[in-house]
Amino acid sequence: MNGSAYAGMTAVAVRQGLARGELSAEAVARAALDRIAEHEPSIHAWQHLDAEGALAAARALDARGVPGLLGGVPLGVKDIIATADLPTRYGSPIYDGFRPAADAHCVSAARAAGAVVMGKTVTTEFAYFQPGPTANPRNPAHTPGGSSSGSAAAVAAGMVPLAFGTQTAGSLIRPASYCGVFALKPGFGLASLEGIKPFSPSLDTLGWLARSADDLELMRCAMAGAAFEPLQPPAPGALRLGVCRTHEWPAADAGGAAAFEQALRLAEAAGAVLRDATMPAATAGLLAAQKTVMAYEAARQLDIEWRLHPEQLSAALHTLLQSGRDCAEADYRQALAQADAGRRTVRALMNGLDALLVPAAPGEAPAGLSATGDPVFSRVWTLLGLPCVNVPGLRGPQGLPIGVQLVGHPQRERELLAVAASLHPFLANAP
């Protein structure tokens, strides 16, 4: 198997090939390393690549002959997530050379299911805004988004079919939109955060990126300890989608707005029933509430770094942490209360709907690598803890990807992924 043939394979296809004896885990890992060697010099997706460890793990899988749910699937791990056998830098020079004592729960579960960890993917500083060196595979002059920068780029470039990311504001959905891949931000509680550097515990969410909705479901099953069954996408004519441009709609640029309107036309032409789902005026403060919660909690989670290594924190992070330290507890409690009220409001808004169809990002990936773009269209859904999926397929005026975001019901991630699988072909095959 060469790197080009491997790059087009989904995780489900790798798993099936190993189960049928058509592939070996070592051959897949070598193909992944070939693909990485070809594209990493221009993409810089990896903070630490572990070629020897990946090949050793693959050979051990072949020797056991029991592929497991993720058997032989190459996996990228965002460098905010602990790995005992690899450095974990958290995107900060403060942690150069740091080696955790144990794998994070998600890494341990993935390895137990047969995944082959290829290495650690680049993250922004503590998963906030200060970017690393990663470039967008669709155009290296543009950002891949953040904070799951390396994971999104590695999947988009065909280096790995699956990668872990995290989201506290928009760190899964936005880079997935910019890079043209799928991403699942589950609802609160689905995936353990044990072993992941906390930033804002009320918001932090583990998720993953892939090139198909079925691959997202495969990882969901691995994390939940459930048996995998391929998705059964509903017929497009059976979809009931709520159109929600959100209070943040003015943040969409011309290309982003046009792509969203195109998605609505394509969904309707395919037979989906679209219903207006305008957010009530009372929810207009949820964006500010998310920012309050994030700043207040980050100031406390990163207190040691603030006190002992202030000179090694970026100016942007300094500003956030100072605002969190200045935030009154009453304002923080009020923001949490707004989130509770917002969940009740959105639950009523989604009654009778399969999902909300909302923007994923303001538009195409911005030019340059000095910033990662605006998470404005994800902040509210992260605050509310609702499952979200980026569905790729559309293009902007510069030919770069623009995704659409599906927001689903709590604890119904599989159903949401099935909706994404139903919608995706109509976006991907748009004229």
Side-chain angles (χ1 to χ4, degrees):
M1 175 188 293
N2 60 34
S4 296
Y6 158 80
M9 295 187 72
T10 64
V12 169
V14 170
R15 175 179 180 266
Q16 291 172 340
L18 261 77
R20 292 193 294 257
E22 299 168 355
L23 298 171
S24 71
E26 183 176 359
V28 172
R30 289 191 181 280
L33 291 169
D34 288 345
R35 183 73 180 182
I36 292 168
E38 181 182 359
H39 292 280
E40 178 63 4
S42 62
I43 303 303
H44 308 293
W46 298 91
Q47 179 66 38
H48 184 91
L49 183 66
D50 186 23
E52 290 186 8
L55 290 172
R59 286 191 289 267
L61 280 170
D62 288 335
R64 288 204 304 270
V66 181
L69 199 61
L70 297 175
V73 175
L75 175 69
V77 177
K78 182 178 180 179
D79 198 29
I80 205 78
I81 301 171
T83 44
D85 56 344
L86 300 171
T88 301
R89 189 174 181 268
Y90 306 127
S92 170
I94 295 171
Y95 288 93
D96 279 342
F98 175 65
R99 188 72 63 92
D103 285 342
H105 176 270
C106 62
V107 175
S108 176
R111 290 192 206 264
V116 175
V117 174
M118 304 302 296
K120 306 299 288 294
T121 56
V122 171
T123 178
T124 60
E125 177 193 31
F126 296 113
Y128 190 53
F129 282 150
Q130 186 67 26
T134 308
N136 192 316
R138 310 302 184 185
N139 184 332
H142 291 247
T143 178
S147 61
S148 303
S149 315
S151 289
V155 172
M159 298 177 181
V160 288
L162 276 171
F164 282 130
T166 62
Q167 180 159 307
T168 304
S171 295
L172 282 157
I173 299 299
R174 181 171 86 267
S177 178
Y178 288 169
C179 292
V181 297
F182 283 87
L184 171 66
K185 184 204 77 70
F188 288 153
L190 176 72
S192 171
L193 294 174
E194 186 274 330
I196 300 174
K197 178 73 171 173
F199 192 85
S200 175
S202 295
L203 305 172
D204 295 342
T205 312
L206 173 71
W208 37 93
L209 303 103
R211 292 193 296 274
S212 78
D214 267 317
D215 281 5
L216 295 179
E217 172 66 2
L218 181 69
M219 180 61 86
R220 187 194 70 81
C221 292
M223 292 298 99
F228 170 70
E229 294 290 339
L231 297 168
Q232 300 297 322
L239 295 179
R240 302 293 182 268
L241 302 175
V243 179
C244 183
R245 291 176 177 82
T246 79
H247 295 295
E248 292 71 52
W249 179 250
D253 63 28
F260 186 74
E261 299 300 336
Q262 182 187 19
L264 301 184
R265 292 193 299 271
L266 292 168
E268 198 162 37
V273 175
L274 304 185
R275 190 181 87 188
D276 178 72
T278 300
M279 293 283 278
T283 62
L286 290 175
L287 181 71
Q290 189 276 340
K291 293 180 179 181
T292 296
V293 170
M294 186 170 72
Y296 185 91
E297 294 186 350
R300 284 143 185 84
Q301 295 300 323
L302 297 179
D303 180 65
I304 290 175
E305 291 82 0
W306 170 274
R307 287 186 289 107
L308 300 185
H309 306 283
E311 75 288 350
Q312 296 190 70
L313 302 177
S314 69
L317 187 56
H318 259 288
T319 299
L320 178 80
L321 299 182
Q322 187 61 62
S323 68
R325 295 168 73 88
D326 293 341
C327 180
E329 181 187 7
D331 293 336
Y332 168 66
R333 299 295 178 193
Q334 176 60 29
L336 292 176
Q338 285 180 271
D340 288 339
R343 291 184 193 102
R344 294 190 294 271
T345 299
V346 173
R347 189 180 305 123
L349 187 70
M350 294 183 68
N351 187 38
L353 296 172
D354 297 304
L356 297 179
L357 188 61
V358 307
E364 294 170 293
L369 303 182
S370 62
T372 59
D374 191 344
V376 61
F377 286 112
S378 290
R379 286 184 183 270
V380 167
W381 312 115
T382 306
L383 175 71
L384 300 182
L386 295 172
C388 303
V389 176
N390 180 70
V391 186
L394 298 178
R395 298 281 170 174
Q398 300 180 76
L400 293 174
I402 298 178
V404 294
Q405 184 172 193
L406 291 171
V407 179
H409 296 272
Q411 302 178 358
R412 287 163 60 178
E413 282 83 2
R414 179 178 170 84
E415 294 172 41
L416 182 64
L417 290 172
V419 173
S422 179
L423 184 62
H424 175 246
F426 302 98
L427 303 184
N429 296 321

